[in-house]
C-alpha cells in the first residue's frame, strides 16, 4: 500500500466558551518510563546525529512495494501450511483494537472452531462522540484517518487469504446479534478489553446474543444461542501467566517488571493459516453486502485536502506496521542505539514509533518481542535491545493497572483518591492546547500534536508537567485533549500515564516537576526542535530560541521553579522549596 499522507486536524468546538463539565462516576529507581506513550522513550540526551530535521516525512519511509514485501516476508515466517481446522459451522471474528492477521489468537481460534469464517468490524458512532468530562471530540480527524487506513489494509490482507471484511455502521451490541442470526453463527470471537466503556459493550453484546436463536449453518442440530468468546491478546505477557492476580498487582513498576521478567515467559506468536477461507456462502445479501469503509465526512469529521508539511506522517495498517519494524530493526539498524536516542523530539528515527500501530492492534507486542530476540541472535544484544522490551513491559503494566483500578483512573483524584483543588481555567487551558503559552518548548510540542497526531515521549512528559504543575489545570483536561488528538491513544496508557504525571496515580511520587529551562537545554540545546515548529523564532540565534523575549509571546504564567536568563539563554538557579519535588 502507498505511504499515505494524513490530513491536518479540524476541531470545531468553541475556543472561549465554558467547558461542559459532567460528574463522572510509578515510582522506581530506574530512569523515567515512557509515560504517555503506548511505546517509546526514556531519559538520556540525544546525539545530534540521531535527530535530523524532518518536514513531512512518512513513517515508515518505504515505498508501497517495500511495505508489501516486508509484510509478506513476515506473514511467510509465521504461516502454518499444515494447519488443520476441526470445527464446523460459522464463526464471527469481531475486530476491535486488534486490526491485524499476524499473531491474532482470536482469528486463529475462530478459524479452527469453524468451517467458514466471517470477519466483522463495527463503526461504532460512540467512538466519534464527545469525551466524558469536557466534551472534546472523542476521536479527531487524524486518528480517524489512521483508522480508515487500518481498515483498508486489513480488508486487503484478508482478501489475499480468501476472506473479506464485513463493515457495518452502528453499535456492536445491536449489529452482531443480527449478523449471527443471518449467518447462523455459533460463536462471536473477540479480544478482551479492560476499561469501562469497552466492558459495557461486551456485557450488552453477551446479553443480546442470548436473545437470538440460530440454527447453525450446515448443521441438522437443534437451534442454539450464539456465544461470545473473549480472548486476551493485547499485551506482551499474557494475563494468565502473571505470578499474581491483577488485584494484587504491585503498585510500583520496578516490582512488577522484576517479577514478570524472573517468573514469566512470553508466549510464542500464533501461526497464520496460509488460507483463512472460505467465508460463509450465504447471508451477505440479507445484511446489504460487505459494506464500505466510510469517509471522514461520513464520520462527522471535516475532510481536508491539506497535507501535513512538518513532522511525521504515519501510514495506517498492519502492512505499514510490519514495514516499520523491518525498517527500524533491520534496514536502518536503529535498534542498536535506541537507548541513546529515545529521548529525541525531532525526526522519524529517534525512537521506534511503533505506538500508533500497537494502539490499534496492527502490531502485536509479542511479534516485537520475537523480532528483538531474533535481532539479538543474528546481530547484537545490548542495553538498547533490552530497553525496547523494557518499554513494552511498561505498556503491559498500564493495561493490567486498568484492570486493578477500574474507573478510578478517570477520576480527579486518580487511583489513590488524592484531594486537590484543580483549576479549569478556560483561557489558560486554551493557551496550552493551542501552543500559545509563551514557552517555546511547550508551544512547539502542542503544535506538533495538533498538526500530526504525535508527540515525543519526552514532550508528553514536559507538557503534562507544565499543565498540572505550572498552570495548576485539571489533568483530565489534558488527558481528554490527548484522547482527541493522539494517533496512539488507548485509554489504559493515556489515563494511566496522566494520573502518573499528575501525581494522583499509584506511583508514590506526588509532585514530579519538569523544569522547562532544564528540559530545553538538555533535549533541544540548539533550539532546532522549537525553531522547526515556531517560524517566528527561526531567525533567532540558537541561544535565544528558548528565551526569545519580546520576539515571542509573553509567558502566560510564571514557572513554578526556575526561569531563563534572557541574556544567556540559560536557566537561573531554581528557587523555592525543593523538598519532595522531583525534577528531570
Amino acid at each position: 500500500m502507498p505511504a499515505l499522507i494524513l490530513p491536518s486536524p479540524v476541531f470545531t468546538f468553541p475556543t472561549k466558551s465554558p467547558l461542559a463539565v459532567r460528574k463522572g462516576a510509578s515510582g522506581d529507581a530506574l530512569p523515567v518510563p515512557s509515560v504517555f506513550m503506548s511505546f517509546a522513550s526514556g531519559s538520556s540526551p540525544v546525539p545530534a546525529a540521531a535527530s535530523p530535521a524532518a518536514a513531512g516525512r512518512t513513517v515508515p519511509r518505504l515505498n508501497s512495494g517495500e511495505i508489501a514485501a516486508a509484510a509478506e516476508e513476515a506473514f511467510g515466517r509465521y504461516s502454518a501450511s499444515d494447519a488443520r481446522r476441526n470445527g464446523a459451522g460459522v464463526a464471527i471474528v469481531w475486530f476491535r483494537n486488534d486490526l491485524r492477521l499476524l499473531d491474532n489468537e482470536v482469528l486463529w481460534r475462530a478459524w479452527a472452531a469453524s468451517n467458514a469464517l466471517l470477519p466483522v468490524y463495527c463503526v461504532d458512532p460512540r467512538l466519534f462522540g464527545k469525551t466524558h468530562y469536557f466534551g472534546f471530540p472523542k476521536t479527531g480527524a487524524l486518528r480517524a484517518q489512521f483508522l480508515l487506513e487500518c481498515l483498508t489494509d486489513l480488508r486487503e490482507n484478508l482478501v489475499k487469504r480468501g476472506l473479506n471484511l464485513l463493515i457495518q455502521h452502528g453499535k456492536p451490541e445491536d449489529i452482531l446479534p443480527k449478523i449471527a442470526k443471518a449467518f447462523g453463527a455459533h460463536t462471536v470471537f473477540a479480544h478482551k478489553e479492560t476499561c469501562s466503556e469497552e466492558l459495557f459493550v461486551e456485557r450488552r453484546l453477551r446479553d443480546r446474543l442470548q436473545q437470538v436463536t440460530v440454527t447453525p449453518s450446515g448443521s441438522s442440530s437443534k437451534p442454539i444461542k450464539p456465544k461470545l468468546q473473549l480472548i486476551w491478546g493485547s499485551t506482551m505477557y499474557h494475563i494468565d501467566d502473571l505470578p499474581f492476580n491483577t488485584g494484587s498487582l504491585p503498585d510500583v513498576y520496578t516490582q512488577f517488571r522484576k517479577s514478570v521478567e524472573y517468573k514469566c515467559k512470553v508466549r510464542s506468536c500464533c501461526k497464520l493459516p496460509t488460507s483463512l477461507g472460505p467465508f460463509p456462502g450465504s447471508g451477505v445479501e440479507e445484511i446489504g453486502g460487505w459494506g464500505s469503509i466510510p469517509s471522514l465526512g461520513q464520520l462527522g469529521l471535516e475532510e481536508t485536502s491539506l497535507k501535513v508539511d512538518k513532522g511525521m506522517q504515519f501510514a495506517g495498517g498492519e502492512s505499514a506496521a510490519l514495514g516499520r519494524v523491518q525498517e527500524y530493526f533491520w534496514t536502518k539498524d536503529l535498534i542498536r542505539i535506541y537507548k541513546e536516542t529515545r529521548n529525541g523530539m525531532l525526526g522519524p528515527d529517534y525512537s521506534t514509533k511503533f505506538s500508533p500501530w500497537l494502539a490499534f492492534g496492527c502490531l502485536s507486542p509479542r511479534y516485537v518481542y520475537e523480532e528483538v530476540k531474533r535481532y539479538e541472535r543474528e546481530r547484537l544484544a545490548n542495553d538498547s535491545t533490552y530497553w525496547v522490551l523494557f518499554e513494552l513491559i511498561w505498556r503491559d503494566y498500564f493495561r493490567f493497572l486498568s484492570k486493578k483500578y477500574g474507573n478510578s483512573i478517570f477520576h480527579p483524584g486518580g487511583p489513590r483518591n488524592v484531594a486537590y483543588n484543580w483549576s479549569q481555567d478556560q483561557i489558560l487551558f486554551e493557551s496550552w492546547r493551542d501552543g500559545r503559552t509563551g514557552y517555546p518548548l511547550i508551544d512547539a510540542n502542542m503544535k506538533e500534536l495538533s498538526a500530526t497526531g504525535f508527540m515525543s515521549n519526552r514532550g508528553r512528559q514536559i507538557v503534562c508537567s507544565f499543565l498540572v504543575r505550572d498552570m495548576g489545570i485539571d489533568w483530565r483536561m489534558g488527558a481528554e485533549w490527548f484522547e482527541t488528538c493522539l494517533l496512539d491513544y488507548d485509554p489504559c496508557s493515556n489515563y494511566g500515564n496522566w494520573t502518573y504525571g499528575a501525581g494522583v496515580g499509584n506511583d508514590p511520587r506526588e509532585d514530579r516537576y519538569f523544569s522547562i529551562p532544564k528540559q530545553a537545554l538538555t533535549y533541544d540545546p540548539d533550539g532546532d526542535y522549537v525553531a522547526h515548529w515556531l517560524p517566528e523564532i527561526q531567525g533567532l540565534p540558537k541561544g535565544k530560541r528558548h528565551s526569545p523575549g519580546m520576539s515571542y509571546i509573553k509567558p502566560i504564567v510564571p514557572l513554578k521553579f526556575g526561569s531563563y536568563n534572557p541574556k544567556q539563554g540559560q536557566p537561573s538557579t531554581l528557587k523555592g522549596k525543593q523538598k519532595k519535588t522531583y525534577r528531570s
Side-chain angles (χ1 to χ4, degrees), residues 217-231:
S217 178
S219 171
S220 59
S221 61
K222 295 179 180 180
I224 63 169
K225 303 289 186 182
K227 297 182 299 182
L228 175 61
Q229 182 74 38
L230 296 173
I231 298 164

Side-chain angles (χ1 to χ4, degrees), residues 136-429:
F136 303 151
K138 198 170 182 64
T139 300
L142 285 169
R143 187 163 76 252
Q145 179 63 35
F146 190 87
L147 168 62
L148 302 185
E149 294 165 10
C150 293
L151 294 176
T152 298
D153 185 68
L154 177 62
R155 173 173 268 179
E156 290 174 355
N157 286 333
L158 286 169
V159 168
K160 291 176 183 177
R161 285 154 186 82
L163 290 178
N164 202 335
L165 179 64
L166 178 64
I167 296 177
Q168 294 281 290
H169 296 253
K171 298 177 180 179
E173 64 266 35
D174 295 335
I175 291 172
L176 290 167
K178 296 177 182 177
I179 293 176
K181 187 172 182 64
F183 287 88
H186 56 72
T187 309
V188 175
F189 288 85
H191 269 120
K192 177 68 176 172
E193 290 290 345
T194 64
C195 291
S196 56
E197 293 179 357
E198 292 79 7
L199 296 179
F200 170 80
V201 175
E202 292 174 8
R203 290 192 299 269
R204 291 290 296 272
L205 175 57
R206 193 182 301 275
D207 291 343
R208 296 282 181 85
L209 286 172
Q210 289 304 298
Q211 299 172 21
V212 174
T213 300
V214 304
T215 300
S217 178
S219 171
S220 59
S221 61
K222 295 179 180 180
I224 63 169
K225 303 289 186 182
K227 297 182 299 182
L228 175 61
Q229 182 74 38
L230 296 173
I231 298 164
W232 188 268
S234 58
T235 53
M236 185 169 72
Y237 287 103
H238 197 284
I239 192 170
D240 292 342
D241 298 337
L242 298 179
F244 31 68
N245 61 47
T246 53
S248 303
L249 194 79
D251 280 337
V252 177
Y253 168 72
T254 298
Q255 295 174 4
F256 169 81
R257 177 184 59 80
K258 290 181 177 179
S259 182
V260 297
E261 286 182 331
Y262 180 70
K263 298 178 181 180
C264 302
K265 290 185 178 180
V266 177
R267 297 185 182 187
S268 299
C269 290
C270 296
K271 296 290 185 178
L272 185 71
T274 51
S275 174
L276 293 168
F279 51 76
S282 62
V284 175
E285 296 78 11
E286 183 177 338
I287 59 171
W290 288 100
S292 60
I293 296 172
S295 66
L296 287 177
Q298 290 171 322
L299 297 176
L301 297 165
E302 186 172 340
E303 299 198 52
T304 175
S305 60
L306 295 177
K307 294 181 180 180
V308 175
D309 60 359
K310 289 185 178 182
M312 293 164 293
Q313 305 151 31
F314 289 81
E318 180 179 19
S319 298
L322 297 173
R324 176 59 178 176
V325 175
Q326 171 67 30
E327 176 186 51
Y328 189 85
F329 281 18
W330 303 101
T331 304
K332 295 185 176 180
D333 204 27
L334 293 168
I335 187 176
R336 72 172 58 225
I337 56 170
Y338 170 74
K339 191 178 180 184
E340 288 73 42
T341 65
R342 71 195 189 282
N343 268 299
M345 291 192 287
L346 186 61
D349 291 336
Y350 58 79
S351 66
T352 68
K353 304 299 183 297
F354 295 163
S355 59
W357 296 293
L358 284 165
F360 278 91
C362 301
L363 185 62
S364 161
R366 295 194 303 205
Y367 176 74
V368 178
Y369 172 86
E370 294 194 2
E371 284 296 277
V372 169
K373 292 303 179 183
R374 183 164 76 98
Y375 182 93
E376 290 178 337
R377 290 193 303 270
E378 296 182 11
R379 292 193 182 178
L380 173 72
N382 63 8
D383 286 348
S384 287
T385 58
Y386 166 73
W387 219 258
V388 172
L389 303 182
F390 177 93
E391 302 292 10
L392 281 174
I393 299 173
W394 261 111
R395 180 179 178 273
D396 279 10
Y397 184 55
F398 281 114
R399 182 154 293 251
F400 295 133
L401 277 179
S402 72
K403 278 190 65 67
K404 178 178 181 178
Y405 287 114
N407 272 355
S408 67
I409 66 173
F410 306 113
H411 294 171
R416 292 187 296 115
N417 197 26
V418 177
Y420 192 92
N421 187 26
W422 298 105
S423 168
Q424 293 176 359
D425 185 289
Q426 178 78 3
I427 294 175
L428 288 182
F429 173 75

Side-chain angles (χ1 to χ4, degrees), residues 529-549:
Y529 175 74
V530 296
H532 181 74
W533 288 104
L534 305 172
E536 55 267 54
I537 66 172
Q538 287 177 357
L540 295 179
K542 293 183 177 181
K544 292 282 291 179
R545 288 173 174 174
H546 287 289
S547 54

Side-chain angles (χ1 to χ4, degrees), residues 547-565:
S547 54
M550 298 298 291
S551 300
Y552 191 58
I553 307 167
K554 180 181 178 181
I556 195 166
V557 294
L559 296 177
K560 182 178 179 181
F561 293 103
S563 61
Y564 289 101
N565 182 324

Side-chain angles (χ1 to χ4, degrees), residues 76-105:
R77 284 190 289 113
Y78 285 88
S79 290
S81 58
D82 58 347
R84 296 290 183 270
R85 65 200 309 179
N86 52 19
V90 174
I92 293 171
V93 174
W94 171 30
F95 281 99
R96 306 177 77 186
N97 294 315
D98 58 332
L99 305 180
R100 66 178 185 272
L101 305 188
L102 198 156
D103 191 36
N104 191 327
E105 188 173 349

